[in-house]
Amino acid sequence: MQQPDLKKFPEGFIWGAATASYQVEGGIMKTDWARAAEDGRVPFAGKACDHYNRYEEDFDIAKSLGHTGHRFSIEWARIEPEDGVFNEEAIAHYRKVLEALHVRGVKPFVTLWHFTLPLWFSETGGFERKDAPEIFARYCSYVVSRLGDLCTDFSTMNEPNVFASNGWLRGSWPPFKRFVLTDIVSITNSGRSFESKAERGLTPLFTYLRVICHLAKAHNCAYEAIKKVSPLSDVSVVKHVILFRANWNPINKAIAWIANYFWTYRFMNRVYMKCDSIGLNYYFQKKFGDKKVYEKTDMDWDIYPEGLEESLMMLARYRKPLFVSESGIADYRDVYRGDYITKQVQATWQAIQRGADVRGHMYWSLLDNYEWVLGYEKRFGLVEINYETLERTIRPSAYIYKQICQQNGV
Ligand code: BGC
């Protein structure tokens, strides 16, 4: 029987979870991350969840959990292992993946690029290259021309600001360039021996800004190229939003405004005209002047699922259909996840009441997976992975989400 106070979602609302190729598939070579692992700078991804071979089993689980949509990404290095050379076998694989979703009545949402770059591209400068937008657009339009009959929803890229700031400001991800105000050090790695070069001045900051600019252009260029081969496809960008907030203090309010501008609006202002919809990835907030102590996720992030509402409202200003493309919690013991999901979904419902045109909600992630520099320790999955045996175990919180999906309400 339906709960009397059920907060219902619009008819046809999509419920599901997300994954990304490098984090779950296994066996991906010739990328900047695989090279960084060989060089001992990041953990090996290895066979990951072996999702490349077990996608059918995983989609059976998703279906059994009431999911009606699934977001996943295509591995650029599989499709275009050499500059301008496209691999038909890789296309055939992703066609089978898409068909497997259709057979189960689960709508696919494809992200064309989720952080990892083919080696030929990263080693020649990656998104620092002036012609990166055209190279990226060529890849995107190729994939859509080959998969567009099996999928209508394509996101060009995942979290451009996270990619650029980790790679060019913090220096924690490939290409490991770090911006330090006093002593700017860029560590580059050619071959196997580390060679570090100190760059002084503002050059690394300018490189970062150039990369951001190229990413925005790359999205816009890819949008145009995709529309040429598949005019009816829905093309989006997936944007990571950090919700910067402040207490009463006007100085804190100004800082939060500036932070939101530089993290979210600056990029979105450049691309929203070439978006049919926008995906939102939300994980955490930062409230300036806040003394409250929050409970923490296993990532040491404040537990604040309520922030999803305001984050959706930040993107609602662009007046496009929105979808929650990722939002989730690392919670090894599965003690917070159920409540987190419930609050997350309530926040999404609340944003819809305030006028945001939200069409779907994807929890991050369907499976435990490779959490980038942190390897396999952090557990985001609705489904637990035993990395020794690759056995899948559905976590109790997944059933809380299942009820929400099946009721289309919370
Ligand atoms: C990324 C995922 C990542 C997740 C949790 C998102 O920013 O898209 O790849 O695993 O956050 O950190």
Side-chain angles (χ1 to χ4, degrees):
M1 214 183 67
Q2 187 173 305
Q3 288 164 228
D5 56 348
L6 188 76
K7 297 182 171 75
K8 267 287 200 187
F9 279 73
E11 194 73 20
F13 193 84
I14 303 283
W15 296 101
T19 62
S21 50
Y22 198 75
Q23 295 178 270
V24 296
E25 282 184 0
I28 298 173
M29 321 283 277
K30 292 176 104 183
T31 67
D32 51 350
W33 276 79
R35 172 54 58 86
E38 282 165 25
D39 294 334
R41 310 194 77 174
V42 301
F44 275 105
K47 60 182 173 345
C49 312
D50 194 28
H51 178 72
Y52 193 79
N53 297 308
R54 297 172 193 238
Y55 59 90
E56 293 197 85
E57 177 187 346
D58 294 336
F59 295 162
D60 282 340
I61 296 175
K63 186 177 166 55
S64 79
L65 291 174
H67 297 191
T68 55
H70 180 69
R71 173 178 175 240
F72 71 98
S73 76
I74 305 275
E75 188 63 39
W76 186 353
R78 286 195 195 277
I79 302 285
E80 192 179 358
E82 302 298 335
D83 188 358
V85 179
F86 295 96
N87 179 350
E88 278 303 314
E89 261 176 52
I91 289 288
H93 170 78
Y94 288 115
R95 289 189 67 81
K96 280 196 266 167
V97 171
L98 287 165
E99 274 156 9
L101 286 169
H102 285 299
V103 165
R104 290 163 179 80
V106 178
K107 183 175 164 129
F109 290 77
V110 164
T111 301
L112 293 161
W113 167 58
H114 194 121
F115 295 153
T116 43
L117 298 177
L119 211 48
W120 61 264
F121 181 57
S122 63
E123 287 197 326
T124 53
F127 279 98
E128 288 182 32
R129 281 174 68 153
K130 200 159 180 266
D131 58 355
E134 289 74 28
I135 291 174
F136 181 68
R138 178 184 70 185
Y139 157 71
C140 290
S141 68
Y142 176 78
V143 175
V144 176
S145 73
R146 304 291 286 105
L147 302 182
D149 57 326
L150 292 172
C151 179
T152 49
D153 294 69
F154 291 95
S155 304
T156 55
M157 57 180 70
N158 182 67
E159 301 185 349
N161 296 70
V162 172
F163 168 79
S165 61
N166 284 343
W168 281 265
L169 289 184
R170 286 191 204 98
S172 52
W173 287 14
F176 305 105
K177 296 194 179 176
R178 195 153 69 93
F179 170 64
V180 187
L181 263 183
T182 48
D183 182 13
I184 295 152
V185 182
S186 157
I187 302 169
T188 55
N189 176 15
S190 48
R192 282 174 176 274
S193 58
F194 289 118
E195 155 205 316
S196 66
K197 92 176 157 357
E199 281 178 26
R200 287 176 190 278
L202 290 171
T203 316
L205 181 62
F206 290 141
T207 312
Y208 163 78
L209 293 172
R210 195 166 78 240
V211 167
I212 288 279
C213 173
H214 288 174
L215 288 165
K217 279 193 186 149
H219 167 80
N220 291 340
C221 235
Y223 180 92
E224 294 294 343
I226 292 171
K227 290 288 170 176
K228 277 194 192 127
V229 296
S230 179
L232 298 181
S233 287
D234 182 288
V235 182
S236 58
V237 75
V238 167
K239 183 73 187 74
H240 182 273
V241 172
I242 300 175
L243 179 63
F244 291 105
R245 308 188 291 147
N247 64 354
W248 57 271
N249 185 324
I251 296 175
N252 287 333
K253 282 191 193 304
I255 297 173
W257 188 90
I258 292 167
N260 281 325
Y261 173 75
F262 278 101
W263 189 256
T264 296
Y265 296 132
R266 193 162 177 270
F267 187 85
M268 286 310 303
N269 290 347
R270 290 175 175 182
V271 300
Y272 79 94
M273 302 273 277
K274 303 259 181 256
C275 285
D276 301 319
S277 60
I278 302 169
L280 163 71
N281 289 2
Y282 168 78
Y283 287 93
F284 51 84
Q285 58 116 29
K286 167 81 194 139
K287 186 169 177 185
F288 296 100
D290 189 11
K291 298 239 169 17
K292 186 171 164 193
V293 179
Y294 294 84
E295 288 188 289
K296 304 281 185 193
T297 74
D298 294 347
M299 298 288 280
D300 211 26
W301 297 339
D302 291 350
I303 296 190
Y304 191 65
E306 295 84 351
L308 184 53
E309 177 187 339
E310 221 37 61
S311 304
L312 281 164
M313 296 317 294
M314 281 173 69
L315 295 183
R317 65 162 62 186
Y318 296 106
R319 304 201 170 281
K320 304 278 176 168
L322 303 174
F323 58 104
V324 178
S325 35
E326 279 180 37
S327 185
I329 179 170
D331 178 22
Y332 183 70
R333 293 175 302 141
D334 204 41
V335 287
Y336 296 114
R337 188 175 286 104
D339 189 49
Y340 190 94
I341 291 176
T342 304
K343 290 193 172 134
Q344 223 180 40
V345 172
Q346 283 166 346
T348 303
W349 185 85
Q350 212 44 59
I352 295 174
Q353 307 318 299
R354 289 172 62 189
D357 180 9
V358 190
R359 307 280 178 94
H361 182 278
M362 312 281 172
Y363 174 80
W364 180 270
S365 173
L366 178 62
L367 310 172
D368 284 342
N369 59 54
Y370 176 79
E371 180 53 30
W372 306 110
V373 285
L374 299 175
Y376 286 106
E377 190 197 309
K378 307 296 175 197
R379 306 289 185 140
F380 281 89
L382 294 171
V383 178
E384 180 186 341
I385 301 289
N386 176 328
Y387 291 108
E388 298 290 310
T389 61
L390 293 175
E391 191 191 339
R392 275 88 168 127
T393 309
I394 300 175
R395 292 201 164 98
S397 56
Y399 294 104
I400 295 177
Y401 189 43
K402 175 178 180 175
Q403 196 185 9
I404 293 172
C405 302
Q406 288 186 330
Q407 297 180 142
N408 193 31
V410 65

